[in-house]
Amino acid sequence: MSYEYVVLKEISKKFAGGVKALDKVTIEIRTGEVLALLGENGAGKSTLVKILYGVYSADEGTIYINEKRVDISSPAEAIRHGIVMVSQHPQLIDTLSVAENLALGLKAFNAFTSIKKVSKFISEKSGKFGVKIDPWEKVWRLTYTQKQLVEMIRAMLLNARVVLLDEALTYLPLEEKRKFYKFIKEFTAKGGSAVIITHKIPEALEAADRIAILRRGRLVGIIEGGSARIDDVRKMMFGESAAEITYGKLQASQPGEEAVIETQDLWITGDFGENAVRGVSLRVREGEVVGIAGIVGNGQRELTQALAGLRKVSRGRILIGGRDVTNRGVRVVREMGVGYIPDSPLAFGISIDNSMTENIAALYQRKSMLVNWSEVREVASSLIEAYKIMIPDAGSLIKVLSGGNIMKVIVSKEINYCRRALIAHNPTRALDEVSAIMVRKSIKERAISDGVAVLLVSEDLDEIYQVSDSIYVMNSGKLYGPFPPDEAERSNVEHLMVI
Amino acid sequence: MRFIVVRRTKPHPYIKPLIIALSLITGMGLVAILLTLIGAHPFAILVTIAYSFTTPQVVKDMLLLTMLGCALLISFKGAVWNVGAEGQLYTAIIPIVWITLYVAPWSAGSPPHQPILIILASITAAAVFGAMWGAVAGALRAYVGIDEVPVTLIMNYVAYYVVNILVLGPFRGRYVYGYIRTDDLPDAYKLGINVVMQRTGNAFLDGFLEFIRVVVYYAYWVLAAALVALLTWVVFNHTTIGLRIKILGSNPEFLRAVGVDVRKTTVMALALSGLLVGVASAIYYLGDLTRLTYPIQAQTAGYGYLAILVVWLSMLELPLIPLSAYIVSSLRNAGRNMQIFGLGGLESTLVLLGSVLLTYSALRFLTEYEVRVVK
């Protein structure tokens, strides 16, 4: 019989800049349940689980575990209470093996325990959970799904009672996600609890026993997973804006003849000396949106970085507007009017310790000696309005914003900047449905109205199908396609992604 | 009831100067306790420290440290740690000695406009030398990947020995009475306005007049410090290089991704920093030092190192640089005065500086966090 293992009572939290992230939120997490947390960007979902995990402390409110009031001031404290978090990005050290990674921080082992003993222990435990992972495999060789599974095993090894999945499944294809949900169901069947944060409402409906919906820091309702209707959930999440949500294909472009982005037999070396991209040739024409689908870690990051001039190409050529820009560096590519939404947005997309205006000026005012701030402020205001960015003012530091609003700043400045081409890698990650659709429409609009050639790389097949004029699939560094979206069966594309 | 530490929802408008003031008071209290334990009178210590904040001797150090603090701020904002201001300070003096004593020495027949030209040439040459000295460390970090901290530090000693070699050899003066030093800077090239103040006999009034005399003497320094601070403000708020340096300090990968050459920006940060040190160096030499004595490492007042404390104390905030410079100068002055009044030796200066900075380190977290009481 389930009972309330964790109770978060009247939790409130304000962030720098006066942003109210949570306002007296009360939620209980029951044993043996999967609880989904849904909400638009900036609703406070991540903040809530981070408070439970000890990353943030609440300004007001109390946490009860097994009816006892507790203070969780750090993740170590949370783990002691059996609460473990798995985030979107695996927190593993790539150069170490699975066993070495898992040995770090596990109480069962000390500094003198041999890795052999650790690996034996891991094999036994992981076998019990029905997951096959070689403990001696270096982490960088694992697929993204395997890495997330390693994170789950770590949670199990830490004797987790509650697993917090903060968008941990966002990048997995549907089939892999289903396996993962099965794994979670087995965990909850044994008395554990799981809290899932996701933007995908259908998945939440499928996997969760209960769904809690947050809006602008407040809990607007909790509904039973089985009885919930998708439209009702959307309405609770977005209010009137829910009407804007559509997954229908956006208007098709009329591409020109000339290729704006072109690669010829491109080979790129990955971070560990492997051939991450193998002989990729593609063409993106003026006004065309070419989508590349694939599971994360199959060479997409290396490809987009090379196109942006951030990574050296070991063989082959990159042409932008007919000009050979192979290994010419970012400056040359940017000066040709190429926008770039990177795969690692916080590393390459923005500087969070600077203001929105400073971030815009760094890109837009590269050529002049003096910064024209009035021009920059004008751009910033128009982006804030067009993309509904929740920011105190354009001079505010980026770090005061929620993850979704940071993403909106990155995406909007790049979509607005590009004149000739846009390289967009997961442009709607961390965005709620309404914002994601708005961004997709903006990308399509630039392609149709201004003839911008768009290379869209995404792990989200819905996105690929909604925006692309032609589709490729990337797997193990190779490119398959192009396929016309109207003719390409989704199941075939998914199959190509995982073979 | 329990205490929790939470990140501030918005920055407290006066928290930074408050932390500095609180550190100062606590540090003074600490040093008074420590020196009392070894027999000094606490009241005498506190009075000496307080007095040291009001004496005219502070003016010169404060102005020079303000200039050097601004110079270091430029590189520190970019997370490029220029700890070589000391070396840049003395390297930049080399061309001044050469210009003022050998290229255009002053004589009775020299044209009247010569001093202005020579002073401007000296400042320019010092700025160029300082920039070049800084750029060497910048280039080593940017293109060879050698950490700039040990490089700039080692280059301080290289600078000392280069200056020593020059003073022992080509720069050794002719009118030095057996000392190993350069000739004095000709009076015509000196930056300083001498005014004579009549003593009134009233201690308070005479102290005030002395203060005025010192400020007037260093009027050029006041102007130079104001210009350096203004220039630093313009660099950070209106130029693309200033913006790039700020972003270099927070996310160099982003800078690279927008198409900026991160390596050039690193070199520029250190070169600009060295350039301003060069300007400060020229003002210091032309207005106060006026000659180089062998061995230079035994003569230096360590301004280049003190400037690091100034920037650190300012929390990399330009408006707080003069305040930090004033505090560091006063504390240095207090240490000197405690020695003069027999309240301690050289170590008392260090204990005083250490106590303030220790308290400051402990309180710094209050800029971003606040402590709340929760029931």
Side-chain angles (χ1 to χ4, degrees):
Chain A
M1 191 183 148
S2 68
Y3 62 98
E4 290 161 3
Y5 179 63
V6 176
V7 178
L8 293 136
K9 196 168 182 193
E10 302 208 324
I11 302 288
S12 295
K13 178 76 185 170
K14 252 188 189 178
F15 279 122
V19 179
K20 198 158 197 175
L22 291 171
D23 187 9
K24 295 190 183 300
V25 171
T26 299
I27 287 181
E28 74 275 10
I29 302 165
R30 298 173 188 163
T31 56
E33 79 164 350
V34 178
L35 173 71
L37 276 184
L38 294 180
E40 61 186 339
N41 291 132
K45 311 174 295 284
S46 287
T47 308
L48 189 69
V49 293
K50 280 176 181 161
I51 286 173
L52 181 56
Y53 194 51
V55 177
Y56 299 144
S57 43
D59 297 345
E60 285 169 31
T62 324
I63 300 172
Y64 295 92
I65 292 182
N66 267 341
E67 296 181 348
K68 271 189 193 163
R69 182 187 159 148
V70 292
D71 288 328
I72 301 177
S73 55
S74 68
E77 191 100 30
I79 291 167
R80 270 200 290 281
H81 289 293
I83 299 165
V84 182
M85 186 191 262
V86 179
S87 68
Q88 201 174 48
H89 306 286
Q91 308 291 306
L92 301 168
I93 301 166
D94 281 338
T95 49
L96 299 182
S97 69
V98 173
E100 286 166 335
N101 265 285
L102 292 182
L104 292 171
L106 289 187
K107 268 192 169 177
F109 310 113
N110 59 43
F112 301 103
T113 311
S114 77
I115 291 296
K116 245 184 184 174
K117 191 179 165 190
V118 179
S119 95
K120 197 178 160 199
F121 181 81
I122 289 163
S123 295
E124 281 170 17
K125 286 275 184 183
S126 57
K128 265 190 194 170
F129 299 125
V131 182
K132 277 185 192 165
I133 289 174
D134 178 4
W136 297 103
E137 190 71 278
K138 294 279 184 206
V139 162
W140 68 266
R141 286 182 180 279
L142 302 182
T143 63
Y144 178 76
T145 311
Q146 285 174 316
K147 284 182 188 174
Q148 289 299 63
L149 280 171
V150 171
E151 289 282 31
M152 278 300 286
I153 293 173
R154 192 203 318 250
M156 301 301 116
L157 293 174
L158 287 165
N159 294 320
R161 299 275 313 265
V162 180
V163 179
L164 309 171
L165 298 159
D166 188 2
E167 307 218 21
L169 312 182
T170 302
Y171 295 150
L172 299 181
L174 199 57
E175 275 313 302
E176 306 267 318
K177 264 184 200 171
R178 288 204 166 118
K179 283 183 202 165
F180 222 99
Y181 282 130
K182 198 177 155 210
F183 184 83
I184 290 166
K185 283 281 183 194
E186 281 170 21
F187 168 67
T188 52
K190 289 174 191 163
S193 313
V195 179
I196 299 171
I197 294 183
T198 176
H199 290 299
K200 303 278 180 185
I201 303 170
E203 280 171 41
L205 295 179
E206 192 179 321
D209 299 307
R210 289 190 308 142
I211 299 168
I213 296 153
L214 293 172
R215 191 157 186 227
R216 290 171 194 170
R218 290 182 170 210
L219 181 72
V220 289
I222 297 182
I223 45 180
E224 296 298 319
S227 63
R229 286 180 54 240
I230 194 162
D231 290 339
D232 296 337
V233 176
R234 279 188 179 140
K235 208 154 196 180
M236 285 170 85
M237 281 172 70
F238 302 109
E240 295 307 313
S241 308
E244 294 167 26
I245 298 170
T246 167
Y247 283 94
K249 187 158 171 52
L250 299 177
Q251 186 194 344
S253 314
Q254 296 295 324
E257 284 304 312
E258 294 294 310
V260 178
I261 304 171
E262 189 174 359
T263 68
Q264 297 170 353
D265 188 28
L266 208 61
W267 289 72
I268 304 164
T269 307
D271 293 342
F272 300 95
E274 81 285 10
N275 282 320
V277 174
R278 302 162 179 222
V280 164
S281 298
L282 63 83
R283 290 177 91 233
V284 186
R285 293 170 295 169
E286 200 183 342
E288 185 182 25
V289 180
V290 168
I292 297 183
I295 299 170
V296 67
N298 276 284
Q300 304 96 313
R301 183 170 63 98
E302 289 80 0
L303 175 64
T304 51
Q305 285 185 348
L307 288 171
L310 283 164
R311 188 179 279 268
K312 291 271 181 202
V313 167
S314 50
R315 211 166 87 194
R317 293 204 309 162
I318 298 172
L319 304 160
I320 303 278
R323 184 178 164 193
D324 191 340
V325 296
T326 319
N327 294 334
R328 295 288 307 277
V330 194
R331 188 180 57 80
V332 172
V333 175
R334 287 296 205 173
E335 278 174 6
M336 297 191 75
V338 178
Y340 171 53
I341 301 167
D343 176 47
S344 315
L346 293 183
F348 295 104
I350 207 149
S351 175
I352 60 166
D353 289 320
N354 294 88
S355 65
M356 181 175 175
T357 45
E358 286 176 332
N359 273 279
I360 290 170
L363 176 62
Y364 286 57
Q365 305 261 317
R366 285 191 336 276
K367 287 185 178 170
S368 46
M369 289 268 287
L370 298 173
V371 181
N372 184 341
W373 287 114
S374 61
E375 205 176 286
V376 172
R377 276 191 287 270
E378 215 168 281
V379 173
S381 304
S382 68
L383 297 181
I384 290 170
E385 199 184 327
Y387 289 83
K388 296 176 185 152
I389 300 169
M390 284 157 71
I391 185 168
D393 61 76
S396 302
L397 296 183
I398 295 294
K399 66 182 176 188
V400 308
L401 306 186
S402 72
N405 281 297
I406 292 177
M407 195 63 199
K408 282 188 197 176
V409 174
I410 297 169
V411 168
S412 62
K413 78 176 163 49
E414 294 293 340
I415 293 177
N416 188 60
Y417 173 79
C418 64
R419 299 187 307 279
R420 188 177 286 197
L422 175 68
I423 300 155
H425 196 158
N426 287 325
T428 61
R429 104 176 48 211
L431 295 185
D432 59 49
E433 280 184 297
V434 171
S435 307
I437 283 155
M438 179 175 64
V439 165
R440 286 173 201 153
K441 283 180 178 168
S442 300
I443 289 175
K444 198 73 189 186
E445 172 73 22
R446 290 302 316 266
I448 294 171
S449 309
D450 306 314
V452 171
V454 181
L455 183 69
L456 171 71
V457 179
S458 178
E459 277 98 42
D460 184 343
L461 262 188
D462 291 336
E463 180 162 273
I464 293 283
Y465 270 93
Q466 190 172 24
V467 187
S468 308
D469 297 309
S470 70
I471 296 174
Y472 287 86
V473 175
M474 196 161 189
N475 190 343
S476 304
K478 288 185 179 170
L479 211 55
Y480 301 89
F483 308 108
D486 302 334
E487 296 166 25
E489 283 289 331
R490 199 179 166 114
S491 56
N492 292 342
V493 169
E494 282 198 343
H495 179 68
L496 275 175
M497 285 163 73
V498 292
I499 51 166
Chain B
M1 194 177 80
R2 63 197 168 105
F3 293 98
I4 58 163
V5 176
V6 293
R7 197 179 268 272
R8 289 185 185 280
T9 52
K10 56 182 177 182
H12 189 289
Y14 307 114
I15 192 68
K16 288 180 178 175
L18 269 175
I19 289 173
I20 294 174
L22 201 60
S23 310
L24 192 63
I25 293 163
T26 321
M28 280 166 62
L30 266 176
V31 85
I33 293 167
L34 284 172
L35 294 183
T36 307
L37 291 174
I38 57 169
H41 196 286
F43 184 70
I45 295 164
L46 290 174
V47 167
T48 306
I49 295 172
Y51 165 74
S52 304
F53 274 77
T54 61
T55 56
Q57 286 84 346
V58 171
V59 175
K60 180 189 83 180
D61 286 2
M62 180 198 160
L63 292 170
L64 184 57
L65 287 176
T66 298
M67 286 187 265
L68 291 174
C70 291
L72 293 193
L73 183 71
I74 290 201
S75 71
F76 282 19
K77 279 265 191 194
V80 180
W81 310 108
N82 177 14
V83 294
E86 182 75 3
Q88 289 145 24
L89 191 75
Y90 285 103
T91 313
I93 291 174
I94 295 170
I96 308 179
V97 173
W98 183 62
I99 291 169
T100 54
L101 295 179
Y102 301 97
V103 176
W106 177 255
S107 65
S110 298
H113 60 270
Q114 183 168 308
I116 294 171
L117 291 177
I118 291 303
I119 288 169
L120 288 175
S122 297
I123 295 172
T124 309
V128 171
F129 261 62
M132 280 170 24
W133 201 251
V136 170
L140 284 171
R141 152 137 176 208
Y143 294 97
V144 192
I146 304 174
D147 195 309
E148 75 283 4
V149 174
V151 171
T152 47
L153 197 61
I154 289 165
M155 283 178 74
N156 287 345
Y157 290 90
V158 175
Y160 286 155
Y161 293 120
V162 167
V163 168
N164 283 342
I165 289 166
L166 290 171
V167 175
L168 280 165
F171 281 178
R172 186 159 182 176
R174 283 169 292 177
Y175 314 105
V176 291
Y177 312 105
Y179 291 104
I180 306 172
R181 60 174 169 83
T182 61
D183 279 327
D184 266 347
L185 177 77
D187 285 344
Y189 300 152
K190 284 181 182 167
L191 275 180
I193 302 167
N194 276 311
V195 283
V196 179
M197 296 278 187
Q198 291 292 330
R199 292 205 157 268
T200 62
N202 179 317
F204 179 78
L205 197 58
D206 283 345
F208 179 71
L209 289 173
E210 173 61 10
F211 201 87
I212 297 293
R213 189 192 67 78
V214 172
V215 172
V216 171
Y217 180 82
Y218 289 112
Y220 291 118
W221 293 44
V222 175
L223 187 67
L227 282 175
V228 166
L230 180 68
L231 192 66
T232 311
W233 180 83
V234 169
V235 165
F236 282 130
N237 292 287
H238 291 283
T239 68
T240 41
I241 183 64
L243 175 64
R244 288 173 187 178
I245 289 172
K246 280 200 278 184
I247 294 174
L248 178 71
S250 44
N251 187 356
E253 292 292 16
F254 170 63
L255 205 57
R256 193 159 78 91
V258 298
V260 171
D261 189 328
V262 172
R263 293 188 294 193
K264 273 187 196 160
T265 309
T266 306
V267 177
M268 280 299 286
L270 268 161
L272 275 175
S273 182
L275 183 141
L276 289 188
V277 173
V279 172
S281 174
I283 305 298
Y284 174 45
Y285 183 79
L286 298 171
D288 188 67
L289 196 61
T290 68
R291 67 187 178 209
L292 293 172
T293 306
Y294 175 86
I296 198 72
Q297 63 270 31
Q299 312 292 327
T300 174
Y303 288 117
Y305 296 113
L306 285 172
I308 299 169
L309 290 184
V310 169
V311 189
W312 188 56
L313 200 61
S314 74
M315 299 182 208
L316 305 194
E317 292 285 345
L318 180 61
L320 293 178
I321 291 272
L323 174 67
S324 307
Y326 170 64
I327 290 170
V328 172
S329 311
S330 303
L331 291 176
R332 184 168 176 266
N333 190 30
R336 228 166 17 213
N337 285 337
M338 282 199 285
Q339 288 177 57
I340 293 167
F341 300 143
L343 296 166
L346 172 66
E347 67 279 4
S348 58
T349 313
L350 302 174
V351 170
L352 179 59
L353 275 169
S355 304
V356 173
L357 296 174
L358 184 73
T359 325
Y360 171 75
S361 306
L363 295 176
R364 248 181 95 120
F365 83 100
L366 291 172
T367 53
E368 289 206 28
Y369 296 89
E370 59 183 305
V371 181
R372 285 194 197 161
V373 181
V374 179
K375 287 179 186 171

